Amino acid sequence: MTIFLEKFNTKHNSAPFSKINLSDYKPAFEECIEKAKAEIDAVIQNTENPTFENTIEALDFAGENLDRLSSIFFNLNSAETSEEMQKIAQEVSPLLTAFSNDITLNEDLFKKVKAVYDQKDSLTLTTEQTTLLDKKYKGFARNGALLSEDKKMRLREIDKDLAKLKLTYGENVLAETNNYQLHITNEANLSGLPEGTIEAARTLAKSKELEGWVFTLDYPSYIPFMTYADNRELRKELAIAAGKKAFQNNKFDNQENVLKIAKLRHERANLLGYKTHSHFVLEERMAQNPDKVKSFLNDLLEKAKPAAEREFSELTAFAKELDGIEVLEKWDGAYYSEKLKQKLFSLDDEKLKPYFQLENVLNGAFTIAEKLYGITFKEVFDIDKYHDDVQTFEVLDFEGNLVALFYTDFFPRKGKRNGAWMTSYKPQFIKNGVNERPHISNVCNFTPPTESKPSLLTFNEVTTLFHEFGHGLHGMLANTTYPSLSGTSVYWDFVELPSQVMENWCYEPEALALFAKHYQTGEIIPQEYVEKIKESASFLEGIATMRQISFGLLDMAFHSNDPKDITSVKEFEEAAFENTKLYPDVAENCMSVSFSHIFQGGYSSGYYSYKWAEVLDADAFAYFQEKGIFNKEVANKFKENVLSKGGTELPMELYKKFRGQEPQPEALLKRAGLL
């Protein structure tokens, strides 16, 4: 399968999805790993003295074909998977782990890297080159290069096991999501549900050759049901089904996997000389260590808890007054929050949705990017796609030069995991004088169009689109020399700044006027709705903040302590949630077994970074508000110092260059109405 061994013969060297068969992947991985090994051997066998160019730079550009293949394969394994593809993932993951260990545990290679690192003070390097040198050296030292042979062997085993466990964990969550459906045949049970939700459920039932209506655990089906369905028993059934994914003592149960992953991560950190997995991870983060993270979260908790408890008792009193509910349960939260929100602001998603047709919202994001950063988006139809739902865009600057390729994939389907994410099919870098432009993708699970209506988004989906588009801009506007420092290759607690700051435009009248237009009449969203959106932005913010903090604390509980004594995942989780608990516990449910962010994705010891980045984003947006939300000077500073710079410098240095100062947490507390 040589297609992956050279440049693709396609427009902009884009991924040739339609030319790839599943059976091509495994041999392609084997070939690309061999080619990458040869490129690395060339660095090792070079008889000249090790220099920055022949060692550090050569290493960063090695394995380009393998990286490209991996990004295509694993992106599709998230967005368009099948049982066969999952099987291939289980086969190739250990190969990739072994290959990556072959590099970091290679003594001869490490000697060369160390030789360059040891003379770094006498080298004349750019800031970016210095960062790359540090990163490469730490990449070896932090991954076992200094270990004895027997410990290196153990490290290899751990990494191989972890790679497989994380895959299995994710497959179990997906299987459990797909295995459940709520099939309704009595129309009375649809009471309270919006027309669009009912229509989508009927379409889904038809596709399964069933009478009536079908609801699933996919967010566009699950969230509206939990928010609007009057039938409390059915809300309870659906909520418990969602909460017990991979916690049913069946073949998809993840309790053992959670414990194995936590224990292996801890053992790995100890092997490398770190106290815990969190100590290992946080060394390469803005937060630096677990104590700083815990005090950051607990400090926020102290400020948010009184507000959260006050909001929770208001919500409880409201539910009692409205429906005589004595104890507010988890399946009541979204339902009564929505009712209370309608009462206080007479604003609900159903009123807003007609103004948020997906195509208009996407064009709004494009227009805002054009005003801020001088780029335009043009849909093209000659780029290969992996599914009919995907759209492809050329991103151009005002001179018509290609800035990036952009893929969007917005609707749920069976082979796609839940949630929303940004990813890349090809990184940006500069090689042989050519600035290779990136191929970026946004993948979401939004409300699909129905027979009678286009895709109309909830306001939450609107902010999700802007969030992922912010990550997208971080990828598209990348302008660095080295691929490993490009785009979103930044410290994990900095990566959410571009995405979260972008959400702020969704609340600004000036920005909403660009895209919030009624899908039938073209009327711009009424000013009173805009004011209510702004007013309601901090509605129940205490509860929401406490929820985020609870996830961050659970993550730290698993990873900043020795997990050897955990016998029950459920009991451990309850103890971690003790201080942030509002609702009564549900015995059948457990979050850790489907907390994919930390057990499958890259957020272990990093979940706090959402809140950390909110401090950055509130402070950054305050600067835009000061000067005007489309102010070219501020936008340019943000583009030059944050969006284009990737991981070439320490994040705090980049932030200070943009803002002129360190971020002030008051901006976040003020915005959240917690001050």
Side-chain angles (χ1 to χ4, degrees):
M1 180 57 188
T2 49
I3 186 172
F4 286 104
L5 289 179
E6 54 241 11
K7 256 195 156 175
F8 300 135
N9 188 16
T10 53
K11 187 177 182 185
H12 305 313
N13 188 22
S14 57
F17 298 113
S18 61
K19 307 267 191 306
I20 308 166
N21 299 311
L22 282 179
S23 58
D24 299 332
Y25 281 116
K26 197 173 176 201
F29 272 107
E30 287 162 348
E31 285 179 13
C32 288
I33 286 173
E34 283 316 306
K35 185 178 180 196
K37 278 182 177 169
E39 290 165 356
I40 284 157
D41 285 344
V43 175
I44 297 168
Q45 283 151 18
N46 188 337
T47 52
E48 296 168 17
N49 281 335
T51 63
F52 179 83
E53 285 73 21
N54 71 19
T55 304
I56 307 301
E57 197 168 82
L59 264 181
D60 207 55
F61 287 115
E64 195 185 316
N65 305 77
L66 179 60
D67 290 343
R68 195 78 209 271
L69 165 62
S70 297
S71 68
I72 291 171
F73 176 78
F74 287 103
N75 283 337
L76 293 184
N77 193 37
S78 288
E80 187 57 16
T81 194
S82 61
E83 280 182 19
E84 196 185 335
M85 193 161 203
Q86 292 178 352
K87 193 167 158 285
I88 299 165
Q90 290 281 6
E91 288 168 4
V92 300
S93 287
L95 301 181
L96 290 168
T97 305
F99 167 69
S100 131
N101 282 335
D102 283 345
I103 299 173
T104 50
L105 301 177
N106 186 306
E107 265 180 57
D108 296 331
L109 186 56
F110 180 55
K111 275 181 192 149
K112 291 206 156 201
V113 171
K114 192 173 183 308
V116 183
Y117 185 77
D118 286 344
Q119 45 170 328
K120 75 173 187 175
D121 294 339
S122 61
L123 302 172
T124 47
L125 300 177
T126 65
T127 306
E128 185 177 351
Q129 288 173 328
T130 306
T131 303
L132 186 70
L133 177 55
D134 277 344
K135 187 173 175 170
K136 287 290 176 225
Y137 176 76
K138 279 184 178 166
F140 283 88
R142 281 170 53 82
N143 286 296
L146 302 166
L147 296 179
S148 61
E149 271 319 301
D150 57 327
K151 286 187 173 170
K152 280 183 183 173
M153 282 297 296
R154 179 60 192 139
L155 189 73
R156 283 173 185 274
E157 286 166 17
I158 291 175
D159 285 345
K160 204 166 154 181
D161 290 347
L162 276 172
K164 291 196 94 152
L165 281 165
K166 283 163 71 174
L167 270 176
T168 305
Y169 179 98
E171 284 164 11
N172 288 348
V173 175
L174 184 63
E176 293 268 271
T177 305
N178 289 338
N179 285 347
Y180 175 85
Q181 61 182 36
L182 174 64
H183 181 202
I184 292 179
T185 49
N186 177 357
E187 198 166 344
N189 288 330
L190 302 172
S191 167
L193 290 173
E195 185 194 328
T197 302
I198 294 172
E199 195 178 348
R202 184 192 285 287
T203 307
L204 190 58
K206 269 189 196 160
S207 74
K208 294 171 180 277
E209 297 180 354
L210 292 170
E211 287 299 308
W213 302 266
V214 167
F215 295 88
T216 67
L217 301 178
D218 287 321
Y219 291 149
S221 178
Y222 177 77
I223 302 286
F225 196 92
M226 296 309 296
T227 310
Y228 297 106
D230 293 330
N231 187 318
R232 192 182 186 207
E233 277 311 302
L234 289 179
R235 288 203 313 269
K236 176 180 179 178
E237 184 189 323
L238 200 60
I240 289 178
K244 68 179 183 186
K245 289 194 301 263
F247 186 62
Q248 306 192 64
N249 295 316
N250 58 11
K251 67 174 179 176
F252 301 119
D253 195 282
N254 266 338
Q255 293 173 82
E256 259 321 288
N257 293 328
V258 165
L259 294 179
K260 283 178 182 163
I261 291 170
K263 285 170 185 170
L264 286 171
R265 282 174 173 167
H266 185 74
E267 186 190 343
R268 187 181 195 279
N270 288 170
L271 258 184
L272 294 167
Y274 294 86
K275 190 178 169 191
T276 67
H277 179 66
S278 292
H279 287 84
F280 170 76
V281 169
L282 293 166
E283 186 181 68
E284 294 279 81
R285 301 284 193 265
M286 290 175 84
Q288 296 161 336
N289 61 59
D291 291 341
K292 199 162 171 188
V293 170
K294 288 181 206 166
S295 71
F296 168 72
L297 289 173
N298 286 316
D299 190 40
L300 260 184
L301 178 59
E302 199 182 312
K303 296 190 170 79
K305 196 171 183 173
E309 287 173 338
R310 188 175 63 247
E311 290 165 4
F312 190 72
S313 30
E314 281 167 16
L315 198 57
T316 305
F318 174 72
K320 186 173 182 185
E321 179 198 340
L322 199 66
D323 291 327
I325 301 288
E326 288 299 332
V327 178
L328 201 66
E329 301 280 1
K330 284 183 179 166
W331 44 89
D332 298 318
Y335 180 77
Y336 288 105
S337 297
E338 184 60 27
K339 288 257 186 287
L340 181 57
K341 188 172 167 185
Q342 287 178 30
K343 183 185 164 188
L344 295 177
F345 307 103
S346 51
L347 183 72
D348 72 90
D349 269 329
E350 291 312 302
K351 257 190 209 165
L352 295 177
K353 275 167 79 170
Y355 295 95
F356 295 125
Q357 184 177 338
L358 171 59
E359 293 75 3
N360 295 344
V361 177
L362 184 62
N363 285 327
F366 290 168
T367 307
I368 289 165
E370 183 179 338
K371 282 175 170 291
L372 291 169
Y373 308 120
I375 52 177
T376 62
F377 292 76
K378 176 179 149 214
E379 187 168 9
V380 287
F381 301 92
D382 51 358
I383 301 282
D384 211 343
K385 312 193 290 197
Y386 57 85
H387 191 279
D388 286 345
D389 286 351
V390 177
Q391 286 178 280
T392 50
F393 300 87
E394 284 177 343
V395 186
L396 308 165
D397 65 17
F398 285 167
E399 278 78 61
N401 303 310
L402 185 77
V403 174
L405 260 191
F406 183 49
Y407 298 85
T408 62
D409 177 1
F410 286 137
F411 305 121
R413 52 180 179 266
K414 192 168 183 258
K416 189 186 207 180
R417 70 176 167 88
N418 249 327
W421 61 94
M422 164 269 180
T423 185
S424 131
Y425 283 99
K426 174 179 175 287
Q428 176 275 332
F429 54 88
I430 298 170
K431 192 178 178 186
N432 304 329
V434 177
N435 193 329
E436 291 279 350
R437 298 313 300 163
H439 300 176
I440 302 299
S441 171
N442 276 177
V443 189
C444 304
N445 282 276
F446 291 150
T447 309
T450 61
E451 284 167 19
S452 65
K453 286 194 181 81
S455 170
L456 301 175
L457 304 185
T458 64
F459 189 67
N460 193 24
E461 289 176 322
V462 174
T463 56
T464 299
L465 186 146
F466 270 69
H467 179 100
E468 297 310 331
F469 185 65
H471 281 310
L473 290 171
H474 201 185
M476 292 182 244
L477 295 172
N479 200 20
T480 63
T481 306
Y482 304 109
S484 73
L485 299 177
S486 182
T488 53
S489 303
V490 299
Y491 277 7
W492 208 259
D493 44 10
F494 192 59
V495 81
E496 294 297 334
L497 166 62
S499 53
Q500 289 182 187
V501 83
M502 200 65 206
E503 292 180 37
N504 289 285
W505 274 267
C506 301
Y507 296 92
E508 297 295 319
E510 243 183 297
L512 284 166
L514 299 171
F515 65 87
K517 299 181 171 125
H518 197 286
Y519 79 102
Q520 285 165 317
T521 64
E523 172 211 5
I524 288 183
I525 192 167
Q527 188 54 34
E528 57 170 313
Y529 286 8
V530 176
E531 278 158 22
K532 283 173 178 170
I533 287 173
K534 274 193 91 102
E535 268 175 49
S536 65
S538 58
F539 173 65
L540 301 187
E541 187 60 41
I543 292 178
T545 300
M546 192 126 113
R547 183 170 176 267
Q548 285 284 78
I549 292 169
S550 75
F551 297 165
L553 290 170
L554 177 65
D555 174 22
M556 294 310 286
F558 271 111
H559 295 116
S560 67
N561 305 294
D562 183 346
K564 72 173 186 308
D565 297 329
I566 307 175
T567 48
S568 156
V569 173
K570 170 77 175 173
E571 283 170 21
F572 181 79
E573 174 177 300
E574 273 183 65
F577 283 155
E578 191 48 48
N579 230 353
T580 55
K581 201 168 132 182
L582 292 168
Y583 292 94
D585 181 60
V586 181
E588 304 94 314
N589 288 7
C590 178
M591 183 193 172
S592 307
V593 290
S594 61
F595 195 178
S596 301
H597 267 79
I598 67 167
F599 287 110
Q600 183 196 0
Y603 277 84
S604 63
S605 298
Y607 202 84
Y608 76 91
S609 57
Y610 282 107
K611 276 288 163 216
W612 185 275
E614 266 187 62
V615 170
L616 297 173
D617 107 63
D619 185 70
F621 194 67
Y623 189 25
F624 273 101
Q625 285 174 308
E626 227 171 87
K627 305 276 188 184
I629 63 163
F630 291 116
N631 182 286
K632 273 284 194 290
E633 180 203 353
V634 180
N636 216 30
K637 277 187 178 177
F638 194 68
K639 180 180 172 180
E640 291 309 311
N641 297 304
V642 177
L643 295 176
S644 69
K645 285 286 191 292
T648 54
E649 273 184 73
L650 286 172
M652 193 55 90
E653 293 310 307
L654 291 175
Y655 190 83
K656 286 193 297 200
K657 283 182 183 173
F658 154 65
R659 188 68 167 99
Q661 61 184 43
E662 289 205 0
Q664 310 298 313
E666 285 66 36
L668 171 65
L669 297 168
K670 189 175 156 193
R671 183 177 74 186
L674 298 175
L675 268 189

